[in-house]
Amino acid sequence: MDQSSPPLTIAAIICTHNRDRYLQAAIESLLRQALPAFEILVIDNASTDGTAALVQPYAAEGRVRYLYEAELGLSVARNRGAEETQADILAYLDDDAIADDHWLPELLQAYGHNPRLAVAGGKVTLIWPHQPPPWISDSLTGALGAFDLGSEPVAIRDPRLTPRGVNYSVRRDFLQGVGGFDPHLGRIGKKLLSNEELYVTELALKQGWDVTYIPTALVGHQVSPERINRRWFLERSWWQGVSEYYRDQAGQVTTADQVRRGGERLLRGAYKTVKYLGNAALCFDNLAYVYGQIGYLWCVVEGLARRRPTPKPGEL
């Protein structure tokens, strides 16, 4: 970084929807950051619980900016946060996460050393309410936000290794240049859509920007008890398939390729589900994968139905 340039600024942004039972811990973790100056924004995304009342004392003291966003959608809320700050770096923390005291300093240092860094994130550990059941594989913990690429920084070349949204930062100028987060991706209420960070990371790599994993930018993610059941994972996988469909649509993947991709993945997952019947974790892991591919193919079929021309009278 040019020594004559002003130092970079950073804003921590929490987008929240009906998570008042976890939100305070997230805010308190940001207030403990080992950084002299930064912003904290809480984007209340159409919450109907006690979120506003919980944040009000922090806002009254000037330690947190509270903003209400009526349009439901995580990507919408993230874009609202980006619009409401002039900070150079936007650091997004989930409302049920707890940031390490050096989370923001580690991120800010990385961007300061590399003017071509567009996206960065760090390790995410899980905070379990109780011992996880044996049917949850290491792979499935990724659906809960777990992320660990090791103890050394990693230059990410594959967008599938993008930092997780629970611990995701982006250079504001770059994000604005690509039009922000896609509102068709990212969680919308109970629709567990995803891939919004992956898509932004993909755009960064295509444009020649750097994306980096920073192991020292640590975040703990609290696992809510209602997620520790098979039905939640199946639903999460279904919406992952839907998200992959929308991502392929944005990438202009042909319908024929979508059918081929989805079909191949479904058959591969079904084979492995049967193969690992004796291993509860691997068997369910592959079953959830199959469920996601069914969601993907369901969207393909719906897309075909929408494009089918309406028959004229006499053509039925």
Side-chain angles (χ1 to χ4, degrees), residues 192-248:
L192 304 180
L193 291 161
S194 59
N195 280 8
E196 70 278 21
E197 304 95 8
L198 187 151
Y199 186 57
V200 169
T201 292
E202 196 170 50
L203 292 175
L205 293 173
K206 285 181 177 179
Q207 295 181 14
W209 288 84
D210 292 339
V211 177
T212 303
Y213 163 77
I214 304 168
T216 49
L218 302 172
V219 162
H221 194 205
Q222 300 195 70
V223 180
S224 57
E226 58 267 23
R227 293 185 178 184
I228 310 177
N229 67 77
R230 291 178 174 86
R231 182 173 180 176
W232 185 88
F233 280 95
L234 291 174
E235 183 179 359
R236 174 67 176 78
S237 188
W238 173 279
W239 287 108
Q240 176 64 30
V242 174
S243 300
E244 289 173 1
Y245 169 78
Y246 284 128
R247 177 176 167 240
D248 281 351

Side-chain angles (χ1 to χ4, degrees), residues 17-287:
H17 174 69
N18 289 343
R19 285 289 188 82
D20 58 355
R21 58 177 168 155
Y22 294 113
L23 182 58
Q24 185 167 15
I27 293 173
E28 290 289 344
S29 75
L30 293 177
L31 293 172
R32 294 193 297 268
Q33 293 296 296
L35 196 65
F38 62 96
E39 287 183 275
I40 301 175
L41 286 74
V42 173
I43 312 299
D44 181 351
N45 192 201
S47 294
T48 56
D49 62 359
T51 292
L54 187 150
V55 181
Q56 194 278 329
Y58 296 106
E61 295 170 1
R63 297 193 291 172
V64 171
R65 289 179 59 199
Y66 171 84
L67 299 156
Y68 184 83
E69 173 55 56
E71 183 179 351
L72 192 60
L74 179 55
S75 289
V76 172
R78 285 177 170 169
N79 289 337
R80 173 72 185 279
E83 294 166 359
E84 292 287 348
T85 178
Q86 294 301 309
D88 302 299
I89 310 303
L90 311 172
Y92 291 96
L93 181 73
D94 272 11
D95 53 8
D96 53 359
I98 298 175
D100 179 81
D101 293 358
H102 294 275
W103 180 58
L104 290 179
E106 293 292 332
L107 291 174
L108 194 57
Q109 178 176 283
Y111 284 97
H113 287 164
N114 182 2
R116 292 300 302 168
L117 183 59
V119 174
K123 184 181 297 186
V124 181
T125 59
L126 298 182
I127 304 171
W128 296 92
H130 51 72
Q131 187 70 20
W135 52 264
I136 296 183
S137 66
D138 290 341
S139 175
L140 281 182
T141 61
L144 298 170
F147 186 60
D148 186 353
L149 297 183
S151 58
E152 298 295 328
V154 176
I156 293 172
R157 302 283 182 257
D158 183 346
R160 291 174 298 181
L161 296 178
T162 184
R164 298 296 181 259
V166 59
N167 180 356
Y168 190 90
S169 68
V170 60
R171 194 179 292 269
R172 187 169 64 88
D173 288 348
F174 162 74
L175 185 65
Q176 288 182 327
V178 298
F181 291 98
D182 187 338
H184 295 99
L185 299 173
R187 182 166 181 164
I188 303 174
K190 294 183 178 181
K191 295 180 180 180
L192 304 180
L193 291 161
S194 59
N195 280 8
E196 70 278 21
E197 304 95 8
L198 187 151
Y199 186 57
V200 169
T201 292
E202 196 170 50
L203 292 175
L205 293 173
K206 285 181 177 179
Q207 295 181 14
W209 288 84
D210 292 339
V211 177
T212 303
Y213 163 77
I214 304 168
T216 49
L218 302 172
V219 162
H221 194 205
Q222 300 195 70
V223 180
S224 57
E226 58 267 23
R227 293 185 178 184
I228 310 177
N229 67 77
R230 291 178 174 86
R231 182 173 180 176
W232 185 88
F233 280 95
L234 291 174
E235 183 179 359
R236 174 67 176 78
S237 188
W238 173 279
W239 287 108
Q240 176 64 30
V242 174
S243 300
E244 289 173 1
Y245 169 78
Y246 284 128
R247 177 176 167 240
D248 281 351
Q249 286 290 95
Q252 298 184 330
V253 177
T254 66
T255 300
D257 279 341
Q258 289 175 337
V259 172
R260 177 184 56 79
R261 289 180 182 183
E264 289 176 352
R265 292 187 298 227
L266 188 150
L267 291 173
R268 186 166 59 248
Y271 168 75
K272 289 184 177 180
T273 300
V274 175
K275 178 181 178 181
Y276 292 114
L277 282 175
N279 184 313
L282 290 179
C283 180
F284 182 71
D285 189 329
N286 283 283
L287 178 62

